[in-house]
Amino acid sequence: MQPMERKMFDYYSNVRQRKVDWLWFSYIPYGKLTVLQGDPGDGKSTFILQIASLLSNGLPMPDGYRVKESQNIIYQCSEDDLADTVKPRLIAAGADCARIAFIVDNDERLTLEDERIEKTLAATKARLLIIDPIQAYLTQDYDMQNAIRMRTVLGGLSDLAAKYQCAIVLVGHMNKASGGKDLYRGLGSIDIAAIARSVLMIARDKENPEIRYMIPVKSSLAPEGCAIAFSLSREAGFQWDGLRSVDVHELLYNEQEHDKKIALACKYLDEMLNAREMTSKDIYDKLQRMGIGRRTVESAKKKMHITSYRKNGTWYWKLPTTPDKETQTTGGNADE
């Protein structure tokens, strides 16, 4: 009996369509890879643990998206001790720890190609697998800049995600490159971001470092969602702060670049307002066309002690040496 001949091609008319199933629309899809990246210490692990806590209890996501039911989760973490750090964080977040598993790797280090990952997915029926951080589960012969190697490894994980209809989130530290596209400040080879269907980023607020944002920088399966804000402080601990509209590129500038941008905005504001007073809308629009975002303009306004006043329902800005007019505020942004 001769073996069946493999089909060499087919037609799209024979492909049965299906909708993408979402763990969290439009941030984390089931059956696909998601990358969560950010600089060390910005709150990546805290964020994903809070998400795991909500899912383990079947609670809505931070934007109100409702999950269908409580989820089983695998949280694999290498950088923190399970007993004195990870479990206390889960308890503090209100997680149902009976629904959150981990792969025991005391005797043999776990890697991304380890068969224990599939076995644990099958045994727990987990709908979410978190690898935190991805760098810790690469063997010494891995090169994250090697496109072919990383595509092979992540292709295997992607197959597991599809097979078990499990969302897989890879947490990783961003590289130190500045400038260029936000996506390319990622984990290594651009193929890591290419094979992931969703790339999310954690970044700090420049003015208030206690405030962090989860920002979608790639969404292949749905329109990009809004940024999700959260805060971390010694007094209040973790708090969700809701949906926000933020300038992703400005958040990624390092301090030196941020200071240069503010200095440039100050120069333009001085030139614009030396000639005449201007409406705040005209200022924002003009500087936006010059590549300077609203948050940078506000920082420059505060630094220059620019004042603002309201006339006939419209807000105007003026340099501090300009005579006062009507109701006036100094430095802040009560008019915006």
Side-chain angles (χ1 to χ4, degrees):
M1 184 176 179
Q2 292 186 352
M4 292 180 61
E5 185 176 345
R6 290 181 60 187
K7 185 183 291 187
M8 187 170 65
F9 68 92
D10 204 341
Y11 291 94
Y12 281 100
S13 58
N14 295 324
V15 176
R16 177 181 291 183
Q17 294 182 200
R18 66 170 178 266
K19 293 182 179 180
V20 177
D21 196 11
W22 292 90
L23 182 148
W24 180 15
F25 184 87
S26 58
Y27 304 98
I28 305 177
Y30 284 121
K32 315 289 182 182
L33 297 187
T34 295
V35 167
L36 175 65
Q37 61 189 29
D39 289 324
D42 276 357
K44 300 181 297 297
S45 296
T46 300
F47 171 84
I48 201 63
L49 280 176
Q50 291 288 332
I51 295 300
S53 173
L54 294 174
L55 291 168
S56 71
N57 289 290
L59 297 175
M61 293 292 96
D63 61 348
Y65 180 79
R66 291 196 163 274
V67 298
K68 296 176 182 177
E69 58 187 359
S70 300
Q71 311 276 302
N72 287 347
I73 298 154
I74 302 169
Y75 179 59
Q76 199 66 25
C77 177
S78 71
E79 293 190 337
D80 295 309
D81 187 273
L82 302 184
D84 64 26
T85 304
V86 178
K87 184 171 181 179
R89 285 180 178 176
L90 287 170
I91 295 296
D96 181 354
C97 292
R99 285 192 171 273
I100 303 178
F102 62 93
I103 301 170
V104 179
D105 61 351
N106 297 334
D107 300 325
E108 184 180 354
R109 182 168 170 258
L110 189 74
T111 70
L112 296 181
E113 295 176 297
D114 200 302
E115 63 179 7
R116 286 174 290 177
I117 293 177
E118 180 170 7
K119 289 180 178 179
T120 306
L121 283 172
T124 62
K125 296 181 172 55
R127 301 303 308 280
L128 172 63
L129 165 63
I130 303 164
I131 303 291
D132 182 10
I134 180 176
Q135 287 92 337
Y137 296 95
L138 303 174
T139 58
Q140 292 183 349
D141 64 333
Y142 281 79
D143 178 1
M144 293 187 72
Q145 301 294 340
N146 186 316
I148 296 175
R149 182 69 172 121
M150 290 312 301
R151 273 192 173 271
T152 300
V153 173
L154 296 185
L157 279 179
S158 184
D159 290 343
L160 288 180
K163 180 177 179 180
Y164 293 96
Q165 275 303 290
C166 170
I168 297 182
V169 175
L170 305 174
V171 181
H173 305 313
M174 295 172 73
N175 65 43
K176 297 182 182 300
S178 60
K181 291 188 177 180
D182 307 326
L183 195 62
Y184 300 153
R185 279 199 64 220
L187 312 181
S189 166
I190 187 59
D191 287 80
I192 298 175
I195 201 169
R197 299 297 82 199
S198 176
V199 179
L200 311 174
M201 181 184 68
I202 303 293
R204 290 177 185 255
D205 187 283
K206 290 290 184 182
E207 305 301 326
N208 184 353
E210 288 186 354
I211 298 176
R212 323 291 171 88
Y213 303 100
M214 184 282 288
I215 307 162
V217 295
K218 174 189 173 182
S219 181
S220 299
L221 304 174
E224 288 183 0
C226 292
I228 306 288
F230 62 97
S231 55
L232 287 170
S233 67
R234 289 184 178 276
E235 295 76 19
F238 180 94
Q239 289 185 328
W240 292 113
D241 294 331
L243 301 175
R244 298 288 179 86
S245 177
V246 297
D247 186 326
V248 180
H249 190 54
E250 284 194 15
L251 282 176
L252 288 181
Y253 275 118
N254 62 38
E255 291 304 318
Q256 185 177 9
E257 291 171 324
H258 185 59
D259 290 344
K260 287 180 180 178
K261 201 78 168 180
I262 292 176
L264 184 61
C266 288
K267 176 177 178 293
Y268 286 145
L269 285 172
D270 185 62
E271 292 174 356
M272 293 161 61
L273 296 175
N274 253 323
R276 59 187 175 89
E277 297 164 15
M278 294 180 62
T279 69
S280 59
K281 183 180 184 305
D282 287 342
I283 291 170
Y284 282 125
D285 289 347
K286 188 169 184 177
L287 291 182
Q288 182 68 49
R289 291 194 294 271
M290 296 176 181
I292 300 175
R294 185 184 184 97
R295 291 165 53 80
T296 301
V297 177
E298 291 171 353
S299 296
K301 178 189 179 187
K302 185 175 181 180
K303 184 175 182 179
M304 295 178 69
H305 304 287
I306 290 172
T307 57
S308 53
Y309 66 92
R310 191 176 180 89
K311 181 178 180 181
N312 298 327
T314 302
W315 283 96
Y316 290 80
W317 287 12
K318 61 183 180 180
L319 293 174
T321 53
T322 305
D324 294 343
K325 294 183 182 180
E326 300 187 21
T327 306
Q328 177 177 299
T329 63
T330 303
N333 293 291
D335 53 320
E336 316 323 335

